[in-house]
Amino acid sequence: MRRLLKRVGWWLLLVLLLSATLLLLARSRDFQLFGQLVSHLDTHEPVVALTFDDGPSEQFTPQVLAILARYQVKATFFVTGREASQHSAMAKAIVAAGHQLGNHSWSHPRLVFRSYAVITNEIERTDIAIRQAGYLGPIYFRPPYGKKLLLLPWYLKQHQRVTVTWNVEADADLGVDADTIAQQVVAQVKPGSIVLLHVMYASREASRAALPSIIEGLQAKGYRLVTMAEMLQDSQP
Ligand SMILES: [Zn+2]
């Protein structure tokens, strides 16, 4: 009996360790099992990339574009295919203003423990929506919730796709005020940083309000704000 309990105990420990490893792997922002993943650029050049997740939305895309235009700054928008096709005029406006579009899946599911067919569909439908918006540059992928495990990285490697995560995020929790978001972003950015901001929904007023201070703060520190393709010096479609 005691021997049985001991054996069950070892199995339990093994299962727990395995689960913890998988969880860490799925959440890691700078490691995945296959394919190229970029969370920041190793450089001494004062460059930083602003990246916006989700959307586009009818209401808030014009506001964000107006702020970027005011400072003559280019950024990267990781849009969902569903929203990019629902609000195709907004996706086109992003491209027309010279910004980069990235692929954030079609419907924003957690792409962990999903079939290869589901992953393929989520990504490739979104590519079509991005091209329909007139975007011609390289299409990088950002996993919804930053989550990836086995099949998603495998798909991305098979299709030579670059995964872009981030190393600065100050608006992960709702309820943080604009000043705090701006201060944290400006304080955390280093040469080669990739900043993630959520600016597309009504609940993200603070992030939109923080955007001018973030740009001013980074420019005051001598940073050049670039798109992801510029940061990676990638001109391939
Ligand atoms: Zn997202």
Side-chain angles (χ1 to χ4, degrees):
M1 186 65 185
R2 197 190 282 172
R3 215 161 164 192
L4 182 71
L5 276 176
K6 206 169 167 184
R7 192 177 283 178
V8 169
W10 278 115
W11 275 112
L12 202 63
L13 187 66
L14 197 67
V15 168
L16 281 174
L17 276 175
L18 192 66
S19 313
T21 308
L22 290 180
L23 196 70
L24 282 175
L25 206 55
R27 291 173 51 144
S28 173
R29 271 190 257 134
D30 35 42
F31 177 78
Q32 69 184 11
L33 285 170
F34 312 105
Q36 186 189 354
L37 180 143
V38 180
S39 65
H40 65 282
L41 187 72
D42 277 318
T43 179
H44 296 293
E45 292 286 307
V47 289
V48 54
L50 291 184
T51 67
F52 305 113
D53 275 13
D54 314 322
S57 67
E58 294 288 332
Q59 203 179 345
F60 301 112
T61 307
Q63 292 182 20
V64 174
L65 289 179
I67 296 169
L68 296 174
R70 198 195 313 158
Y71 294 96
Q72 295 185 304
V73 161
K74 301 291 183 239
T76 306
F77 292 73
F78 286 95
V79 296
T80 68
R82 186 163 60 191
E83 288 164 300
S85 50
Q86 270 169 2
H87 311 298
S88 58
M90 293 298 113
K92 285 178 183 156
I94 294 171
V95 178
H99 303 289
Q100 183 174 355
L101 286 184
N103 185 325
H104 195 40
S105 83
W106 178 265
S107 62
H108 209 280
R110 280 182 172 73
L111 289 175
V112 173
F113 304 123
R114 295 300 179 102
S115 74
Y116 198 82
V118 166
I119 290 167
T120 303
N121 189 46
E122 283 283 335
I123 294 177
E124 294 180 6
R125 276 178 88 187
T126 303
D127 285 341
I128 293 169
I130 286 174
R131 291 299 181 213
Q132 279 171 346
Y135 177 71
L136 301 171
I139 304 178
Y140 304 145
F141 181 74
R142 174 169 282 165
Y145 311 100
K147 298 268 194 300
K148 68 257 159 324
L149 196 57
L150 272 175
L151 284 182
L152 174 59
W154 182 249
Y155 170 90
L156 294 166
K157 182 181 165 63
Q158 293 305 308
H159 294 81
Q160 288 110 45
R161 301 291 292 259
V162 178
T163 306
V164 174
T165 57
W166 60 91
N167 69 347
V168 175
E169 181 188 22
D171 68 353
D173 300 315
L174 288 173
V176 184
D177 64 276
D179 286 344
T180 307
I181 293 172
Q183 279 162 16
Q184 286 187 0
V185 169
V186 175
Q188 287 170 26
V189 162
K190 296 187 179 74
S193 277
I194 299 172
V195 178
L196 163 59
L197 278 167
H198 300 84
V199 291
M200 283 299 167
Y201 303 130
S203 59
R204 296 305 192 153
E205 188 56 49
S207 298
R208 285 188 295 278
L211 189 53
S213 313
I214 289 172
I215 297 171
E216 285 174 25
L218 293 174
Q219 288 183 334
K221 282 180 139 184
Y223 279 100
R224 204 156 52 80
L225 284 77
V226 296
T227 64
M228 279 311 307
E230 284 168 338
M231 183 177 259
L232 301 180
Q233 300 186 319
D234 182 358
S235 57
Q236 299 302 308

